[in-house]
């Protein structure tokens, strides 16, 4: 991207006006809801965070696919009421009793601060994954910052894996378990998978980790953060605020939760880490941090496949009408069904 100025890059971004409008609204309201004193106005967020209940009637996800797509039923399971730990389970219709599908444990995005499995955009996305791959999906309601800081969501993720190991959901093949998440959820994918590698599960086997535009960071300002400032959804002011809300008091953004292969990180070469798939986008200010993450994994002898869409913005996958969303589903399917 060298040789191109930030403003030239931004004006070369092509997006339908409807998506621009949605992103602008999301940006304005989420920005207005984060307060200078470090708290979040959760009431204000309900204006844009529409919640959908689970449904035992099969519903199809929004799709642009020309293949037949299965309807999906959903149900919610509470794991620990004291910390509001629960998950939404997505099961494709017509799965017969003996048929076991791969299981995706999904961590939603939202800057470690916002959203949940019942948020409409994530209910839709997980429904599309379940119906189109097909797969079963466990979408995790992990604890959010600033009310719950590091390492609360990582602990919640591991707790969910232990729970499904002991209580396998219907039609899930626990030996084909994939840890998947986008943005902040992609950050959780790394840390939950790393922590899970130290635990002996009875039946569950992690077959792969899939990080969709993961949220990583550090003290340094990277070239992509500078050049892509002002592209939809992200600004360094916002990411700085979110890291401060999430990381322990007194730590900086080089904390290993944010900067996995940074100056404060310990050696991970001995860590059990499965083959991973990382999605990046040309208009995502976080792309330089994601590149470094992939290089860090490779440098530690881990196998990683990188898929980089030059025209994709951060969060492209929640818009089925974007062409990359269709490519993305095919890529996921190939990865999951080849393991
Ligand atoms: C968010 O709001 C603050 C004022 O509260 C403003 O200074 C800042 O530029 C806004 N950021 C974005 C990305 O809109
Ligand atoms: C932060 O500001 C909000 C709204 O101004 C206020 O209700 C809340 O008590 C403040 N919290 C802290 C910890 O200062």
């Amino acid at each position: 991207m060298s040789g191109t100025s930030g403003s030239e890059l931004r004006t070369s971004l092509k997006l339908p006006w409807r998506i621009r409008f949605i992103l602008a609204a999301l940006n304005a309201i989420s920005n207005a809801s984060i307060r200078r004193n470090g708290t979040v106005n959760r009431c204000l967020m309900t204006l844009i965070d529409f919640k959908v209940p689970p449904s035992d009637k099969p519903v199809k996800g929004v799709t642009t696919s020309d293949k037949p797509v299965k309807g999906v039923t959903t149900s919610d399971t509470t794991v620990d009421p004291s910390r509001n730990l629960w998950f939404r389970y997505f099961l494709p219709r017509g799965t017969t009793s003996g048929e076991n599908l791969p299981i995706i444990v999904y961590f939603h995005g939202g800057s470690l601060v916002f959203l949940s499995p019942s948020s409409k955009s994530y209910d839709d996305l997980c429904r599309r994954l379940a119906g189109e791959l097909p797969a079963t999906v466990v979408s995790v309601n992990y604890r959010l910052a600033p009310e719950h800081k590091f390492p609360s969501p990582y602990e919640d993720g591991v707790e969910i894996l232990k729970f499904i190991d002991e209580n396998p959901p219907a039609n899930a093949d626990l030996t084909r378990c994939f840890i998947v998440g986008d943005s902040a959820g992609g950050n959780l994918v790394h840390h939950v998978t790393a922590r899970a590698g130290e635990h002996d599960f009875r039946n569950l086997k992690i077959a792969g980790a899939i990080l969709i535009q993961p949220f990583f960071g550090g003290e340094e300002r990277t070239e992509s953060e500078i050049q892509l400032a002002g592209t939809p959804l992200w600004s360094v002011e916002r990411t700085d605020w979110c890291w401060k809300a999430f990381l322990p008091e007194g730590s900086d953004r080089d904390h290993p939760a944010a900067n996995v292969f940074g100056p404060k990180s310990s050696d991970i070469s001995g860590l059990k880490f499965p083959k991973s798939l990382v999605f990046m986008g040309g208009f995502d200010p976080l792309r330089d941090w994601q590149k470094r993450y992939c290089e860090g994994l490779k440098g530690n002898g881990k196998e990683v496949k990188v898929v980089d869409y030059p025209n994709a913005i951060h969060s492209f996958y929640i818009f089925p009408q974007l062409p990359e969303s269709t490519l993305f589903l095919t890529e996921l399917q190939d990865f999951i069904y080849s393991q």
Side-chain angles (χ1 to χ4, degrees):
M1 110 183 10
S2 52
T4 316
S5 80
S7 64
E8 273 174 63
L9 264 178
R10 284 194 301 277
T11 50
S12 68
L13 172 61
K14 303 268 181 299
L15 270 184
W17 69 268
R18 195 164 171 271
I19 293 182
R20 280 188 191 269
F21 178 78
I22 294 171
L23 291 171
L26 279 174
N27 201 40
I29 302 216
S30 54
N31 192 30
S33 73
I34 61 178
R35 298 185 182 118
R36 281 183 200 282
N37 71 6
T39 62
V40 175
N41 183 344
R42 300 219 173 265
C43 237
L44 195 53
M45 270 307 283
T46 59
L47 293 177
I48 46 165
D49 182 11
F50 305 110
K51 296 282 166 61
V52 277
S55 151
D56 54 13
K57 274 201 303 256
V59 178
K60 284 186 187 179
V62 181
T63 183
T64 52
S65 164
D66 44 16
K67 292 176 295 185
V69 169
K70 289 184 170 187
V72 173
T73 60
T74 51
S75 57
D76 290 350
T77 300
T78 298
V79 172
D80 179 359
S82 73
R83 54 175 140 157
N84 197 23
L85 181 60
W86 58 271
F87 63 83
R88 179 160 293 181
Y89 190 56
F90 297 76
L91 180 64
R93 175 207 179 102
T95 315
T96 52
S97 58
E99 185 187 0
N100 283 344
L101 294 171
I103 178 168
I104 286 176
V105 175
Y106 196 88
F107 296 101
H108 66 81
S111 320
L112 298 161
V113 172
F114 298 121
L115 308 177
S116 88
S118 59
S119 298
K120 184 160 188 326
S121 48
Y122 283 102
D123 188 79
D124 284 348
L125 177 61
C126 291
R127 197 176 292 281
R128 256 159 67 215
L129 296 180
E132 294 198 34
L133 294 176
T136 61
V137 180
V138 162
S139 179
V140 182
N141 191 60
Y142 56 86
R143 284 171 292 176
L144 299 174
E147 293 85 350
H148 303 278
K149 285 174 162 290
F150 168 91
S152 304
Y154 305 158
E155 291 171 348
D156 293 347
V158 175
E159 206 51 43
I160 291 285
L161 294 178
K162 290 181 182 168
F163 180 88
I164 59 178
D165 187 40
E166 299 291 328
N167 309 275
N171 300 100
D173 177 359
L174 290 187
T175 65
R176 284 185 292 164
C177 175
F178 293 83
I179 315 293
V180 188
D182 66 288
S183 193
N187 177 290
L188 265 71
V189 171
H190 173 81
H191 293 285
V192 170
T193 306
R195 285 165 181 246
E198 291 167 8
H199 183 79
D200 285 323
F201 293 101
R202 199 144 44 124
N203 299 305
L204 184 130
K205 280 198 191 67
I206 300 179
I210 303 176
L211 299 87
I212 309 157
Q213 299 186 309
F215 182 25
F216 294 121
E219 281 297 306
E220 190 190 325
R221 296 290 184 217
T222 63
E223 203 175 308
S224 64
E225 280 175 319
I226 295 165
Q227 292 210 317
L228 293 168
T231 47
L233 281 187
W234 283 108
S235 66
V236 287
E237 293 79 17
R238 173 85 67 85
T239 48
D240 288 356
W241 190 97
C242 294
W243 287 126
K244 191 160 188 296
F246 174 67
L247 294 172
E249 272 330 316
S251 49
D252 67 16
R253 294 187 304 273
D254 283 331
H255 186 286
N259 198 351
V260 176
F261 296 105
K264 298 186 178 167
S265 301
S266 48
D267 179 24
I268 73 143
S269 54
L271 199 73
K272 263 208 282 176
F273 205 84
K275 185 173 174 184
S276 59
L277 171 63
V278 179
F279 288 94
M280 294 180 26
F283 286 96
D284 183 355
L286 297 173
R287 57 180 285 111
D288 283 350
W289 288 114
Q290 295 157 357
K291 251 196 254 175
R292 288 188 199 180
Y293 171 76
C294 296
E295 283 157 13
L297 280 183
K298 286 179 191 159
N300 281 280
K302 315 296 177 203
E303 198 179 338
V304 47
K305 178 175 183 193
V306 180
V307 177
D308 193 359
Y309 298 127
N311 295 318
I313 53 163
H314 193 82
S315 78
F316 73 89
Y317 40 81
I318 61 171
F319 301 107
Q321 61 271 50
L322 292 177
E324 289 84 0
S325 277
T326 308
L327 299 173
F328 156 77
L329 278 176
T330 309
E331 201 72 55
L332 276 181
Q333 190 174 44
D334 288 350
F335 185 82
I336 288 175
Y337 277 93
S338 70
Q339 304 304 311

